[in-house]
Amino acid sequence: MIELSAIHKSFRQGMQQVPVLKGIDVDIARGEFMAIMGPSGSGKSTLMNILGCLDTFDQGRYRLDGQAIESLDPESLAGIRNRTFGFVFQLFNLIPKLSAVRNVELPMVYAHVPRIERRERAREALAAVGLAQRIDHAPSELSGGQQQRVAIARAIVNDPQVIIADEPTGSLDSASGTEIMAIFHRLHDQGKTLIMVTHDAEIAGHASRILRLRDGRIEEDRRS
Ligand code: ADP
Ligand code: MG
């Protein structure tokens, strides 16, 4: 489903272009559960942002279901991104002033889903992550693990094929991290493709494939 070949990406720092990805080749099949590991600064988040069509690249090719991503205009790219991917971040990225259910409704607001259907689907998504009793709570009234579950509900509410999670357990204690992994396993069993960055070898052990980056290159690509 995802085919990256010879992806290069650099960032400008002052007068210099600093290379961050130096030729990434990776194919990811539908239904895979992949962890991306590697030292801080090795390019993991940059790669995730490219995979999720949140960022562009300088050289190389990206085929998503056969579609050439580099040739799309920003509007088509945004359309593909919103239909294909759900995103989960380390710091949850919830809107503090909105209740859990309204946070989960947001992606459907952008997708022009009618209000009643929005509420219905947001409730279902929150129930799927075990938060049916917390839908009216603000993020500040929820634990870190619960906030991340709201973020997962928001990521899955438009039924994306792929979930992209950048250090989803990085701010959580290990019990909450284990709960998040249980949810990811369930989503994987339902056919979702999961791509997750983690520093934690135990968390990475939940995946069936581990990609290891070092200094902008793939150091290891291992399936279990
Ligand atoms: P990781 O997620 O593996 O820690 P990142 O992909 O976030 O690594 O960053 C890799 C390198 O790219 C780092 O040196 C970082 O400073 C640099 N970088 C990332 N994003 C930007 C940006 N938007 N502008 C400039 N430099 C960036
Ligand atoms: Mg990162």
Side-chain angles (χ1 to χ4, degrees):
M1 173 179 54
I2 288 173
E3 302 170 79
L4 295 187
S5 49
I7 296 289
H8 289 256
K9 171 83 177 173
S10 61
F11 289 108
R12 173 171 288 289
Q13 254 174 33
M15 301 292 285
Q16 297 193 61
Q17 285 292 121
V18 179
V20 170
L21 297 179
K22 305 171 184 172
I24 299 287
D25 297 291
V26 65
D27 291 353
I28 304 172
R30 194 178 297 273
E32 279 203 84
F33 185 175
M34 175 189 260
I36 301 180
M37 301 191 77
S40 182
S42 57
K44 304 182 297 296
S45 294
T46 302
L47 177 58
M48 290 293 260
N49 290 341
I50 290 172
L51 282 168
C53 302
L54 288 168
D55 201 358
T56 56
F57 44 95
D58 306 329
Q59 286 176 53
R61 299 183 351 146
Y62 181 0
R63 296 283 175 281
L64 178 62
D65 284 327
Q67 166 97 257
I69 291 300
E70 60 275 12
S71 63
L72 294 176
D73 59 85
E75 210 169 307
S76 315
L77 191 63
I80 288 197
R81 176 173 65 232
N82 295 337
R83 279 195 303 280
T84 311
F85 299 100
F87 296 93
V88 178
F89 301 97
Q90 178 174 2
L91 295 173
F92 326 132
N93 293 16
L94 300 175
I95 311 274
K97 281 203 286 201
L98 298 182
S99 65
V101 70
R102 292 196 60 210
N103 266 286
V104 177
E105 282 182 30
L106 269 188
M108 294 184 283
V109 174
Y110 304 134
H112 305 295
V113 176
R115 183 185 297 271
I116 294 177
E117 184 184 341
R118 257 182 2 227
R119 184 53 56 109
E120 177 69 22
R121 281 170 51 189
R123 281 175 186 278
E124 283 171 15
L126 283 163
V129 296
L131 289 177
Q133 311 303 319
R134 297 280 189 282
I135 70 164
D136 291 320
H137 286 55
S140 62
E141 298 167 334
L142 299 170
S143 70
Q146 290 171 333
Q147 289 182 61
Q148 193 60 300
R149 286 192 274 149
V150 174
I152 293 170
R154 179 183 58 187
I156 62 177
V157 77
N158 277 335
D159 199 23
Q161 291 166 33
V162 186
I163 299 180
I164 298 231
D166 196 345
E167 306 209 30
T169 65
S171 304
L172 303 178
D173 59 54
S174 71
S176 303
T178 303
E179 280 174 26
I180 299 299
M181 286 305 110
I183 293 170
F184 278 14
H185 278 293
R186 215 156 60 228
L187 292 168
H188 184 226
D189 290 343
Q190 289 165 9
K192 303 286 186 203
T193 306
L194 285 106
I195 309 172
M196 152 181 97
V197 168
T198 182
H199 274 112
D200 182 329
E202 198 175 316
I203 293 291
H206 288 272
S208 44
R209 181 177 176 191
I210 299 182
L211 194 75
R212 207 174 284 278
L213 292 190
R214 177 173 294 277
D215 197 21
R217 294 192 173 88
I218 295 175
E219 181 182 57
E220 188 185 15
D221 184 357
R222 184 163 52 84
R223 287 166 212 266
S224 55

